[in-house]
Amino acid sequence: MDRLIQQALLQVLQPIFDPSFSDASFGFRPKRSALHAVQRARGHMAAGHRWVVDLDLEKFFDRVNHDVLMARVARRIKDKRVLRLIRRYLTAGVLVDGVVSARSEGTPQGGPLSPLLSNVLLDELDKELERREHRFVRYADDVNAYVRSKAAGERVLASIERFLWKRLRLKVNRTKSAVDRPWNRQFLGYSVTNHHKPKLKVSSRAIQRLRQRLRGDFRRGRGRRLSSVIRDLAPVLRGWMAYFRLAEVKGSIQQLDAWIRRKLRCILWRQWKQPRTRYRELVRLGVYRDRAKRASTTGRGPWFNAGASNMHQAVSNKMLHVGLGLVSLVQEHRRYASLL
């Protein structure tokens, strides 16, 4: 019932607030997405603003001051019943281990209304950055401002930190915030090259997150048919590549494809537990008998053997992608590139 009422509030309040939001704000807004924010950020870098002020707001959704937020909402909404209802949602207790704890600050994460309320509060930051004529991009509480020098970036970071605390009672996390070159940072999962006209690439952190996500699937796949494992991977890989379709540097994507194929070969090698089983399966899949015999009795582990030429011959890339339907990140990337 709470979610239904919050959604109803959102559908009425969004058209009131959204038209006045900054053009540099992209999070949780109609017809705007993270990919639009990434493209805007690349445009600022290509225009010569090759230093980034990467702002990290300390526990933003947990630290929102209710009085400050409600004052911003009340500027546009005059119906006291609506204001009272919004505040009641803000102050509603949190159920933790069966115990209700009172909430004195922060917004209810996961609620339909929270993204709009966060934009209402941070719109004041957007307007301040616009007043100072800074080039910036904001997606929810991820804020990147682009400047031409490190000294300018340090000044912007210090002044914005003071502004956020004085006006919005928000703290900047200094350990995670930085003034740096854009290619040393990541924004919404993307990073860039250091070319004069920077190219987008998948950040190393995003790649590590995908690998960690897939490792669980590979562990669960040891006792299952390879076709079932590949079928379960398909929506994850397609969804990941759909988000990172703007990437222009393909090297990391090719490496991910090779890593996934090797993990799948590793599953097969583990399933062929005994040397005689490994010998029989390798021969069945086209490996010469003498090579199959040497490979099946090696003392090396599954990861080494999954990358050996014998397994590449037995379980070829074509067999995995065409025969078993493994989604190729490289092919998905090419398909999206042809549509852009």
Side-chain angles (χ1 to χ4, degrees):
M1 180 65 74
D2 282 340
R3 291 185 65 83
L4 175 66
I5 296 171
Q6 285 193 43
Q7 182 64 35
L9 279 169
L10 175 66
Q11 290 176 202
V12 174
L13 296 177
Q14 184 97 44
I16 296 173
F17 284 101
D18 193 79
S20 65
F21 287 158
S22 168
D23 185 53
S25 167
F26 292 88
F28 312 116
R29 296 183 61 190
K31 298 181 181 180
R32 288 171 171 252
S33 70
L35 299 186
H36 292 135
V38 169
Q39 289 176 313
R40 179 71 62 85
R42 178 179 55 179
H44 293 327
M45 294 176 234
H49 295 73
R50 294 167 67 81
W51 286 88
V52 62
V53 182
D54 189 351
L55 281 170
D56 183 271
L57 301 182
E58 188 174 285
K59 298 181 179 178
F60 170 71
F61 287 98
D62 295 328
R63 296 287 175 83
V64 170
N65 185 288
H66 291 168
D67 292 334
V68 173
L69 172 58
M70 289 306 302
R72 271 67 185 170
V73 175
R75 291 173 182 174
R76 306 292 296 275
I77 305 300
K78 302 304 179 183
D79 191 323
K80 292 184 178 179
R81 296 170 300 174
V82 175
L83 296 174
R84 188 163 54 247
L85 182 59
I86 294 173
R87 182 175 278 276
R88 287 180 66 183
Y89 277 121
L90 289 174
T91 58
V94 182
L95 187 66
V96 180
D97 297 328
V99 179
V100 177
S101 303
R103 187 204 304 271
S104 59
E105 60 181 2
T107 60
Q109 293 191 44
L113 199 55
S114 292
L116 176 62
L117 295 178
S118 69
N119 277 335
V120 170
L121 184 65
L122 290 176
D123 186 58
E124 191 153 342
L125 171 62
D126 298 341
K127 296 298 192 289
E128 177 66 14
L129 290 169
E130 287 178 345
R131 186 184 68 79
R132 300 181 187 187
E133 298 183 347
H134 290 312
R135 293 182 178 235
F136 72 98
V137 180
R138 183 176 68 80
Y139 188 90
D141 59 333
D142 287 328
V143 187
N144 276 10
Y146 297 89
V147 294
R148 293 185 181 273
S149 69
K150 185 175 183 179
E154 296 288 358
R155 290 195 299 270
V156 170
L157 178 57
S159 63
I160 291 300
E161 184 177 17
R162 290 193 298 270
F163 172 84
L164 285 168
W165 177 247
K166 184 178 179 180
R167 295 290 294 273
L168 303 179
R169 287 294 182 264
L170 294 173
K171 288 184 178 180
V172 171
N173 187 334
R174 272 288 188 163
T175 59
K176 294 184 179 179
S177 301
V179 177
D180 204 345
R181 293 293 195 179
W183 46 87
N184 296 329
R185 309 292 292 181
Q186 69 96 29
F187 180 56
L188 301 176
Y190 281 87
S191 187
V192 294
T193 64
N194 60 358
H195 295 96
H196 180 68
K197 289 192 174 180
K199 295 182 179 181
L200 293 173
K201 65 179 183 178
V202 184
S203 72
S204 58
R205 195 184 308 173
I207 292 171
Q208 286 302 115
R209 280 199 298 265
L210 178 64
R211 289 194 178 204
Q212 193 61 36
R213 161 74 175 81
L214 294 180
R215 281 190 180 99
D217 294 332
F218 292 136
R219 279 194 295 270
R220 289 188 295 271
R222 293 176 185 177
R224 302 168 57 202
R225 294 176 64 88
L226 200 63
S227 57
S228 299
V229 178
I230 289 173
R231 185 173 60 248
D232 291 346
L233 290 178
V236 177
L237 298 178
R238 286 199 176 97
W240 189 86
M241 199 66 256
Y243 180 79
F244 288 106
R245 63 182 179 269
L246 297 180
E248 298 163 283
V249 178
K250 298 186 293 184
S252 58
I253 297 173
Q254 292 169 339
Q255 291 171 5
L256 264 177
D257 255 351
W259 179 80
I260 291 168
R261 290 191 294 263
R262 188 167 179 177
K263 293 294 282 188
L264 291 172
R265 294 183 180 110
C266 195
I267 289 174
L268 278 180
W269 189 263
R270 288 179 182 277
Q271 290 177 348
W272 303 340
K273 295 180 180 179
Q274 300 299 323
R276 61 177 179 272
T277 306
R278 291 169 180 167
Y279 172 77
R280 183 181 68 245
E281 292 298 324
L282 288 171
V283 171
R284 183 179 68 82
L285 291 169
V287 178
Y288 290 125
R289 292 180 180 273
D290 56 338
R291 292 188 65 192
K293 185 175 183 180
R294 287 196 302 271
S296 62
T297 56
T298 181
R300 301 276 193 167
W303 182 248
F304 174 87
N305 283 285
S309 59
N310 300 308
M311 280 297 283
H312 275 261
Q313 179 186 346
V315 187
S316 65
N317 294 355
K318 184 177 180 180
M319 173 183 171
L320 289 171
H321 291 300
V322 179
L324 296 175
L326 175 65
V327 172
S328 167
L329 296 176
V330 172
Q331 290 297 328
E332 286 289 297
H333 181 265
R334 287 175 183 164
R335 182 172 68 85
Y336 281 117
S338 67
L339 299 174
L340 293 176

